[in-house]
Amino acid sequence: MEITEKENNYILTPLSPKLNERESLRIAAEIENIKNGCSVSDIGLNMCCVQDCTIEFIKNILSFDTISLFNIHSDIFALLISMDLDKKLNLYVSESDFIQKKHQLINRKFTLV
């Protein structure tokens, strides 16, 4: 796992192609260490290397309130949208969008009446 700090934002990059229970516990431990160590405005997960994730990862991520995901693989993005997690998590397209807090991905589900 790679950890970087940019403009008072911490970015965690998991290097495993599949985020299972073991990997999600490692990510949760790192997030707790970052939160306890200093005052940080936001923590982001760069999902560029991740191809698949398990339900344990999603449950762990939902337990944190200041977490954002970006560079999300299309399969994972479809899963998050179908579970309506775009309302609970901050989803961004790129790292620059995450740092600037612009262009958040939200599925609005418009219908014609």
Side-chain angles (χ1 to χ4, degrees):
M1 181 177 333
E2 185 179 310
I3 302 171
T4 57
E5 180 183 5
K6 290 186 181 177
E7 299 178 17
N8 201 22
N9 294 308
Y10 278 88
I11 298 173
L12 302 173
T13 306
L15 301 176
S16 174
K18 182 174 182 176
L19 294 179
N20 53 17
E21 184 177 11
R22 179 178 170 268
E23 292 293 324
S24 64
L25 290 175
R26 286 183 60 210
I27 291 171
E30 286 296 330
I31 292 172
E32 286 297 326
N33 287 339
I34 291 170
K35 283 187 172 183
N36 294 335
C38 61
S39 63
V40 62
S41 63
D42 204 3
I43 299 172
L45 278 178
N46 185 356
M47 306 281 285
C48 65
C49 300
V50 180
Q51 302 288 323
D52 191 17
C53 67
T54 61
I55 193 69
E56 288 84 11
F57 168 73
I58 294 172
K59 287 179 183 177
N60 268 340
I61 292 302
L62 288 176
S63 65
F64 297 103
D65 55 347
T66 59
I67 197 81
S68 300
L69 303 175
F70 57 93
N71 289 337
I72 307 167
H73 191 266
S74 61
D75 293 340
I76 298 172
F77 180 70
L79 177 69
L80 294 175
I81 294 296
S82 67
M83 294 175 72
D84 284 334
L85 296 179
D86 57 327
K87 310 298 188 271
K88 298 175 185 172
L89 296 171
N90 297 324
L91 306 177
Y92 296 98
V93 175
S94 65
E95 181 178 335
S96 62
D97 290 342
F98 162 68
I99 291 173
Q100 297 172 0
K101 305 292 183 271
K102 294 183 179 179
H103 309 295
Q104 186 173 350
L105 298 172
I106 298 173
N107 187 8
R108 302 224 190 264
K109 295 185 182 178
F110 291 116
T111 58
L112 294 175
V113 180

